[in-house]
Amino acid sequence: LARALDTPIATGEMLASVAEHERLIAARACDIIQPDAPRVGGITQFLRLATLADQAGLDLAPHFPMEIHLHLAAASPREPWVEHFDWLNPLFNERLETRDGRMVVPERRGLGVTFSHQARAWTTDTAEFGRA
């Protein structure tokens, strides 16, 4: 499909491993890969995929959550965009800034966001497993 169409094909947001993305890249089955760091095994695995995409000449458009991916995309030489999900706003005290259609990497510490009181209310400090 990617070879048959002039429209760039973006995919990979639901793939759950580096190996699945490697097959996608090797098959030249898309023009833009959309890895999701939490799904593929974290930041290290995401950066591995970003390198593979760059070597293959593919663009990178990370998928959900933007609070993590904004920083990872900014470190990539092939970053056309970062998806924006405003329905995550209640989770954070700060908002990521968009200027001229581009997200701005925050200069605040860490990822540049802190969890809101609402997010803390939706979590628990303990969990029990295996009880009937």
Side-chain angles (χ1 to χ4, degrees), residues 19-30:
E20 289 174 313
H21 278 88
E22 286 175 328
R23 288 191 296 274
L24 187 71
I25 292 168
R28 304 293 296 169
C30 66

Side-chain angles (χ1 to χ4, degrees), residues 43-123:
I43 290 172
T44 300
Q45 297 305 320
F46 179 94
L47 293 174
R48 184 172 166 204
L49 285 172
T51 299
L52 293 173
D54 184 42
Q55 291 169 346
L58 300 177
D59 284 333
L60 176 75
H63 177 262
F64 181 82
M66 63 192 179
E67 288 76 14
I68 294 171
H69 289 124
L70 173 59
H71 299 273
L72 297 176
S76 172
R78 296 184 157 275
E79 171 272 320
W81 70 82
V82 174
E83 292 183 322
H84 180 269
F85 297 92
D86 60 2
W87 50 270
L88 293 176
N89 285 347
L91 296 177
F92 304 103
N93 291 317
E94 302 81 12
R95 300 290 170 263
L96 294 178
E97 179 185 351
T98 302
R99 193 179 315 136
D100 298 325
R102 307 284 294 170
M103 282 187 192
V104 178
V105 177
E107 294 183 17
R108 297 178 295 268
R109 294 184 311 194
L111 294 177
V113 292
T114 55
F115 285 114
S116 68
H117 291 295
Q118 182 63 53
R120 293 178 195 280
W122 288 333
T123 61

